[in-house]
């Protein structure tokens, strides 16, 4: 079965850290760019970070991208051997509270873009004292 499964969410105090995982099954993540998104109650979904594939096809090199709101605090990475992408989150703020989703494309795509078709079920992150 082709799917993405997020994990690692939870309750954390302001200033704390969490690491989210996005594990793929049924397909190989190596050939796909992966994005992280979040949606807070009453707000639209927003892009958080994205990582290009690192398989070298089309000169892709695993470049990373971040929303301004998380730049310097979040780090995206991939472990192709584990078929998993991570989002390390540090210095968390209450505004980071949201359901976090990972997503990718329906066909191999080396570079981050807009047409995400495969989505995980999400993992809740709550930042509160």
């Amino acid at each position: 079965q082709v799917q993405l499964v997020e994990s690692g969410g939870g309750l954390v105090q302001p200033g704390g850290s969490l690491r989210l995982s996005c594990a793929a099954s049924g397909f190989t993540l190596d050939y796909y760019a992966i994005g992280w998104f979040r949606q807070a109650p009453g707000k639209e979904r927003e892009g958080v970070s994205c990582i290009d594939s690192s398989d070298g096809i089309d000169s892709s090199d695993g470049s990373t991208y971040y929303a301004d709101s998380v730049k310097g605090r979040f780090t995206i990475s991939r472990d192709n051997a584990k078929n998993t992408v991570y989002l390390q989150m540090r210095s968390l703020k209450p505004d980071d509270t949201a359901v976090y989703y990972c997503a990718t494309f329906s066909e191999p795509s080396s570079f981050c873009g807009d047409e995400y078709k495969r989505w995980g079920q999400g993992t809740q992150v709550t930042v509160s004292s």
Side-chain angles (χ1 to χ4, degrees), residues 53-76:
S53 73
S54 54
D55 57 6
I57 296 175
D58 299 326
S59 301
S60 60
D61 61 1
S63 293
T64 58
Y65 308 90
Y66 300 94
D68 287 344
S69 59
V70 306
K71 202 170 292 184
R73 301 187 297 122
F74 291 11
T75 303
I76 191 171

Side-chain angles (χ1 to χ4, degrees), residues 78-95:
R78 63 193 306 149
D79 185 338
N80 290 335
K82 294 183 178 180
N83 221 28
T84 301
V85 170
Y86 303 99
L87 185 67
Q88 178 68 53
M89 306 186 296
R90 298 182 175 87
S91 301
L92 284 162
K93 306 174 182 179
D95 283 349

